[in-house]
Structures are given as structure tokens and as C-alpha cells.
Amino acid sequence: MLEAKSTAAFVALLSLFAGDLSCAFAPSQDVPRGSNLFAATIDTSAATTSNSLKSPKSLETQDIMGLYEERVQKTYGRVPLTLKSGLGCKLTSVDGKDYLDFVSGIATCALGHANPELIEAVSNQMKQMHHVSNLYYIPQQAKLASWLCENSVADKAFFCNSGAEANEGAIKLARRHAANRGITDPVIITAIDSFHGRTLAALSATGQPKYHKGFTYGGKMVQGFEYVPYNNVEDLEKMVNEMNQTPFLDKLKGRKRGVAAIMMEALQGEGGIKPGNPEFFKKARELCDESNALLILDEVQVGMGRTGTLWGYEQLGVIPDVFTSAKALGGGVPIGAMMARGECASELGPGDHASTYGGNPLACAAGLAVAQYLSDKNILDNVNARGDQLSAGLESIAAKHPKVLGQVRGWGLLKGVVVQPGAGCMPGEVVADAMADGLLLVPAGKDVVRFVPPLIVSEQEVKDALSIFEKVVAARAEKLGS
């Protein structure tokens, strides 16, 4: 009976689509009958046939950097390194040089490179069925959603392709939740130096004006975002109180302003590896409860075990209403998720939000492989042990060379060390020095070198990384005469 009802509903949905399509393709009254307008369109498209296509195999690929210069938009500042293969925590360049990877695709390749279990899961799924529409039930999606919810405070999950998309979903959910409370002007409070993604609303939520330049309308980004200093309880409380008051003139127009959500990273990654303060997040939880607003945690970089717990909110002792994940969720296969609990988990209905590729069989097979590996191999124990080892090593190097390095901070295997203002170099230069010696690192914020190895990194690999880094720092210290 349920199957019959579902089929009937689907047929009704297709009928609706068909009605829309018939309108879309109805001949215009402005086009005379017998006109060859459509014929001209067909003739033009017919000019591109399979015989005229250039095969990828026929293209010259010797000069990769030249091809990038000619054909790829320059949205990244790339380093002069071309990689061809990887295994575990090692990457190999086209020149045959090996590198110890402490970037892991920026906290993405949780299981390292060429992980056998991930390869098997993705290969088997490709042979079976890699993509179908979300119009149908997808077993892999249901199973991954179940695993995520069973291992968190979430009740339901929405799948997409990236962290930015997961955060966009969370923003839409917060606005819908606010609208259902009669709020016409919903405000989402985020942090200065935050980073939530490159899509327009996620970028608007990002509290870094340098990323907004050139993307505004009348000097403004998407409206409805306010920023406070990260970990500042007093400023957060003040902002919530202010945003819950509707300006007098707006009230006369029947508008109502209110806080829809407080949206924070559990640890600021791109902002410089700044861990959240439990007291700050406790206050954020209280303020959301008082305002009937949502507490949203962006766990795109810290989630899926990188902090030593599966989720960053576990480090803070708070329960979010919504949290987002991506990066490590698929071990390098693109997938994102927005998880929610309680009533807000059912806030969005059919047509309110969607993603063509979100939660397809291939991506979810990868997610399940990562989940199984984390569960079977006690990876969180390794993250904590190797994280402690990494911290101790970095603190020792910083103590030896205090003119070059400062504070070491972070959780688990997401660590950063501050490059001192008087070091005579920027984090990017330290990263370049390390790369020359076979260690891949990545800057974070204005003054931090970031260490984000795969979660499977071994004790010996951490020792090797620290040895290379100490050599690099010692050379910089020697230039300073320290």
C-alpha cells in the first residue's frame, strides 16, 4: 500500500513537471509558423559532432604549468609542485621526489592516499551504480545518515557536495526556522576571522572583509549577518540583545528583527587555528535557548575525528542544533552533510532545499568506508597520541627558537604554530622551506603554520616531520643570529 501511494505521488510530481515543461516548450505566438528559427538552432548544434571533438588523449600534457597558465582560471596561488601519486602519508611528484604530506588536501584525506578500503568501496560502487537522482531511495545514503546520527546528537542529515554547500543549507534552515517564528529580518551572528565557504551566503557569513572585496552589491554582501570577536562572551551577549530588538521605523512597517542563529566554528581553522572556549560556547547555547534561535557549529575542517573526538563540539561540552561536515567525511571524495536535531531537523520540506549530486551512491560509499575505518581501527586513539606527540615536538622547537616561533595551539591532528613578528619571514616562506626539504605544510591566518596530516599518520612519520621542521626553523633562526 505504501509503495502504491509513493508511486502515485511520484506520478503526480512528474505530471506537475510535465505541465511546466509543456509551458516551457509551447511555441511562442511571436514566432511565425513556418519560421526556420528552430531549424537554425538545430543546424548550429549539429555542427559539433563526435568526429569534430578533440580527444583528451590528443592534447599535449607535458607542460602542466603552462596549461594551467593558459586554460585554468587563477583562483588559487599554486606552489611550483606537480604531484602524480600518493600512498599513505607520502606524495610523489612527477620528478620522482617524495614528500611527507602534512596537508592531507587541507584536512580532507583522513585515511591518507590510496587507502585499500576506500579504493575497494569506491571501485565496487562504480561497478554497481554511481549516481541516481534523489527522487529515489538510495540505500548508501540512508546508511551513512544513520551512522552520522547514531554517533552524534543529530536526528537527521542532509547531504551535499562540500562544506560551503553544507553551510548554505544550515543558513537556509536557520532562516526558515526564524520565518516560522514570525521574524522577517533574521540575523545570523558569526565571528570575526571566521571562514564558512566561498559561495555567496557562506562568504557573507565569513567575518573577513578581504574575502568580500568585489562581491558586494552597493558595498554590501548578503544581508542578515553580524560579526563578533571569537570567544568574546560580552560582545556576543551584547550583539544578541541588540539584534533581538526591531528598529522603530521597521516595526511600523510590520517587520520584526531577531536572532535566527549563532554560527561558529568549533575551532577557527583559516582564522589561525584558534580553538573555541567552552565558556563562550556555553553562553552561545544559553543565548540561543533564550532567543529560540539555533546554535550552528561549522565542523567542516574539524569534524570526523580530526580533533581527537569525532566532532569538535565534544571538545566544548555543548550540544548544537545544527552542525556541518565535509572534507574528511568522504576521505577525499566530494561529499558534505548538514546535520540537525529536534524540531529543526524536519524544518525543510520537499522543494525547500536540494542537491543533484548530494548523497549519491558513490559519495556515500566513500563516506561509509571512512566511517567503517574510523570504527574498526581505533583511529581516534591514534589522533590523540600523535596529536600529543606533535604538540610536544612543536613546543620543543619553539622553545629552542623563540625569535622564530611562538605559541603552539590546536586540537588532535589540527595544530598550528605562530611565526613571530620578528622572525624575518612569513608563514608561507616557512612552508616553502619545508617543502624544499620534503615536508608539505600549509599556512593558516596571518601568522600560523598549520599541520594537518592524515589521521593514520604514524609515530615515525611525526618524528620525521618534526625533524624536517626543526631543520627549517633552525636555518631561519641562524639568519637572525639567534
Side-chain angles (χ1 to χ4, degrees):
M1 180 64 72
L2 180 60
E3 192 74 29
K5 287 183 178 179
S6 299
T7 302
F10 182 62
V11 170
L13 184 63
L14 286 181
S15 298
L16 179 61
F17 287 163
D20 291 341
L21 291 173
S22 64
C23 292
F25 289 103
S28 169
Q29 307 222 344
D30 295 330
V31 181
R33 292 190 177 277
S35 167
N36 60 0
L37 173 62
F38 296 122
T41 303
I42 294 172
D43 289 344
T44 301
S45 62
T48 304
T49 66
S50 59
N51 292 332
S52 67
L53 293 177
K54 275 196 173 183
S55 164
K57 293 181 180 179
S58 71
L59 300 177
E60 177 58 52
T61 57
Q62 293 300 313
D63 183 11
I64 295 297
M65 292 184 188
L67 285 176
Y68 264 86
E69 183 70 23
E70 183 180 1
R71 298 298 189 190
V72 180
Q73 295 186 28
K74 296 180 181 179
T75 58
Y76 276 84
R78 292 181 171 85
V79 298
L81 174 63
T82 304
L83 300 165
K84 69 173 182 178
S85 63
L87 182 64
C89 295
K90 182 181 75 174
L91 285 168
T92 304
S93 73
V94 292
D95 300 324
K97 182 176 179 178
D98 290 338
Y99 295 85
L100 191 53
D101 182 14
F102 270 53
V103 178
S104 58
I106 308 186
T108 297
C109 299
L111 307 186
H113 305 280
N115 175 269
E117 286 87 343
L118 185 57
I119 290 172
E120 182 180 13
V122 171
S123 299
N124 288 342
Q125 193 59 56
M126 279 296 296
K127 293 174 184 176
Q128 184 180 8
M129 179 178 68
H130 69 289
H131 177 81
V132 291
S133 170
N134 274 301
L135 290 170
Y136 313 108
Y137 291 99
I138 301 171
Q140 297 83 358
Q141 183 180 134
K143 190 172 183 179
L144 182 56
S146 180
W147 183 85
L148 289 169
C149 293
E150 288 291 333
N151 289 281
S152 74
V153 297
D155 292 317
K156 294 183 179 181
F158 167 84
F159 292 102
C160 49
N161 311 290
S162 68
E165 289 179 62
N167 287 333
E168 288 276 342
I171 290 166
K172 286 181 68 175
L173 174 58
R175 286 195 167 193
R176 171 56 62 86
H177 181 260
N180 288 344
R181 295 189 286 122
I183 293 176
T184 61
D185 298 13
V187 176
I188 296 176
I189 299 171
T190 70
I192 295 169
D193 289 336
S194 60
F195 187 85
H196 298 290
R198 302 281 184 173
T199 51
L200 200 55
L203 192 62
S204 300
T206 295
Q208 299 194 55
K210 67 179 181 180
Y211 291 124
H212 298 170
K213 186 177 179 181
F215 301 111
T216 62
Y217 181 90
K220 297 180 179 180
M221 296 292 287
V222 174
Q223 297 298 281
F225 294 95
E226 297 290 340
Y227 317 102
V228 297
Y230 192 59
N231 285 334
N232 189 309
V233 171
E234 184 179 344
D235 282 7
L236 177 62
E237 194 166 13
K238 181 179 177 182
M239 181 65 76
V240 169
N241 291 335
E242 180 182 349
M243 290 301 110
N244 276 333
Q245 302 297 318
T246 304
F248 179 71
L249 292 179
D250 289 341
K251 192 179 294 185
L252 291 178
K253 297 175 184 176
R255 292 165 60 178
K256 180 182 178 182
R257 187 172 73 184
V259 175
I262 296 174
M263 181 177 183
M264 297 284 164
E265 295 162 275
L267 173 152
Q268 285 193 336
E270 302 305 317
I273 316 301
K274 300 172 185 174
N277 183 310
E279 290 304 312
F280 175 76
F281 279 85
K282 179 181 178 182
K283 174 56 69 173
R285 177 70 272 172
E286 291 174 1
L287 292 169
C288 284
D289 290 341
E290 291 168 4
S291 303
N292 198 12
L294 302 181
L295 178 60
I296 301 173
L297 263 60
D298 178 343
E299 299 226 8
V300 170
Q301 188 163 173
V302 305
M304 289 298 288
R306 182 152 293 280
T307 66
T309 50
L310 188 61
W311 305 112
Y313 68 76
E314 297 176 81
Q315 299 280 344
L316 300 168
V318 296
I319 296 177
D321 299 297
V322 180
F323 62 102
T324 56
S325 179
K327 289 190 179 288
L329 181 57
V333 175
I335 185 172
M338 182 265 288
M339 281 77 72
R341 70 180 182 93
E343 292 182 1
C344 71
S346 302
E347 201 81 63
L348 299 175
D352 290 335
H353 199 51
S355 173
T356 295
Y357 295 105
N360 74 13
L362 182 65
C364 288
L368 286 167
V370 173
Q372 194 66 51
Y373 199 94
L374 294 182
S375 302
D376 290 345
K377 308 291 185 179
N378 296 321
I379 292 299
L380 295 181
D381 290 344
N382 187 63
V383 172
N384 285 305
R386 302 288 71 77
D388 290 345
Q389 179 190 0
L390 183 57
S391 288
L394 291 174
E395 287 167 356
S396 175
I397 297 170
K400 292 176 185 176
H401 306 289
K403 291 184 180 180
V404 180
L405 298 181
Q407 183 186 22
V408 176
R409 57 196 186 216
W411 295 331
L413 286 173
L414 177 52
K415 292 288 166 56
V417 58
V418 173
V419 176
Q420 299 284 39
C425 60
M426 299 295 290
E429 295 173 274
V430 177
V431 168
D433 292 348
M435 186 176 79
D437 283 347
L439 173 63
L440 299 182
L441 302 171
V442 61
K446 300 174 183 177
D447 59 359
V448 172
V449 174
R450 176 172 26 176
F451 292 71
V452 277
L455 305 187
I456 61 165
V457 68
S458 69
E459 181 178 1
Q460 185 59 51
E461 286 166 332
V462 172
K463 285 182 180 178
D464 293 343
L466 289 168
S467 176
I468 295 171
F469 189 64
E470 182 165 14
K471 175 185 173 184
V472 165
V473 173
R476 286 288 176 179
E478 187 176 350
K479 290 181 181 179
L480 289 174
S482 61

